[in-house]
Amino acid sequence: MPLHVPPAPAPALRSVLAALGSPTAVREARTPALRSVQGPLSPELPLPVHVLDQIVPSGHAPYTRLTGWRFLIRSGERAVAAAETTLTPDGWTFSHFFEGPYLSSTERALRQAESMRTPFQPRLLSIPELYMLTLWLHGDTDADASAGTPRPTDVLVPLAPAPPGIAAHRPHRVADLLPVMTLRLAPAPLLGSPA
């Protein structure tokens, strides 16, 4: 089933296109692959980036906030980097280019999601408390991509590298993964204290 990729705000896309067209921005990027590419670069697959500020016990709706839009930067058939935009008081603006393990992991998770039978709206969900990034597959394909919280039936696909005890690229319903994440944050019992 094809994913319903939401359109990015036009100013966010324009800011990425302007950065790609700027020799200074590309030259100063800390992405060797982006600096060494010959030929045209294009921003594709815009994904809204939401942050889960605090993992709450099960039974409570998680609270998320939109922090940016991420674009995969392609050269031909392959992604060579990603670009992130952020919302400022003046509107959407280019933030930075980057590469690394989350780039290929995001592509893999998107391919995985495309093979599922259920239609989804793809988003990224960052969980800073666990140093974790997931592909968030939102069940409401017509929803405003800049708002909303993960529903219990939405699917999260942890990207690699995932925290210990959470398998990367294994899809989980939010209702199943949130309790696991809560346990990952529980303090370990002190030696000699009753468990």
Side-chain angles (χ1 to χ4, degrees):
M1 180 66 61
L3 294 174
H4 296 264
V5 178
L13 177 58
R14 280 195 303 270
S15 72
V16 171
L17 290 169
L20 285 171
S22 164
T24 304
V26 172
R27 190 173 49 251
E28 292 179 4
R30 292 192 174 124
T31 57
L34 188 61
R35 287 193 312 264
S36 64
V37 167
Q38 300 295 319
L41 297 167
S42 61
E44 297 179 5
L45 284 169
L47 296 171
V49 180
H50 293 260
V51 172
L52 179 66
D53 284 316
Q54 185 176 4
I55 299 172
V56 293
S58 93
H60 295 61
Y63 172 74
T64 64
R65 61 186 169 82
L66 179 71
T67 59
W69 282 80
R70 184 172 296 175
F71 297 79
L72 296 182
I73 306 300
R74 292 205 179 276
S75 172
E77 292 298 313
R78 66 184 189 102
V80 294
E84 191 136 332
T85 63
T86 188
L87 188 59
T88 68
D90 295 326
W92 289 102
T93 182
F94 171 76
S95 175
H96 61 281
F97 292 116
F98 64 95
E99 59 184 83
Y102 286 132
L103 184 62
S104 60
S105 187
T106 300
E107 283 190 301
R108 178 180 170 186
L110 286 166
R111 282 192 306 273
Q112 192 176 355
E114 285 175 344
S115 68
M116 295 179 176
R117 295 182 185 178
T118 308
F120 290 109
Q121 181 189 85
R123 304 171 175 197
L124 292 172
L125 181 64
S126 173
I127 302 132
E129 287 178 284
L130 293 175
Y131 301 100
M132 181 177 176
L133 184 64
T134 69
L135 178 64
W136 168 14
L137 300 172
H138 191 53
D140 183 355
T141 57
D142 296 323
D144 177 359
S146 65
T149 59
R151 298 174 175 181
T153 56
D154 285 354
V155 175
L156 297 177
V157 181
L159 301 181
I166 298 176
H169 296 287
R170 182 167 175 243
H172 301 271
R173 286 179 345 122
V174 168
D176 299 333
L177 188 56
L178 273 180
V180 172
M181 292 189 300
T182 302
L183 289 175
R184 296 286 305 135
L185 292 174
L190 297 173
L191 289 175
S193 65

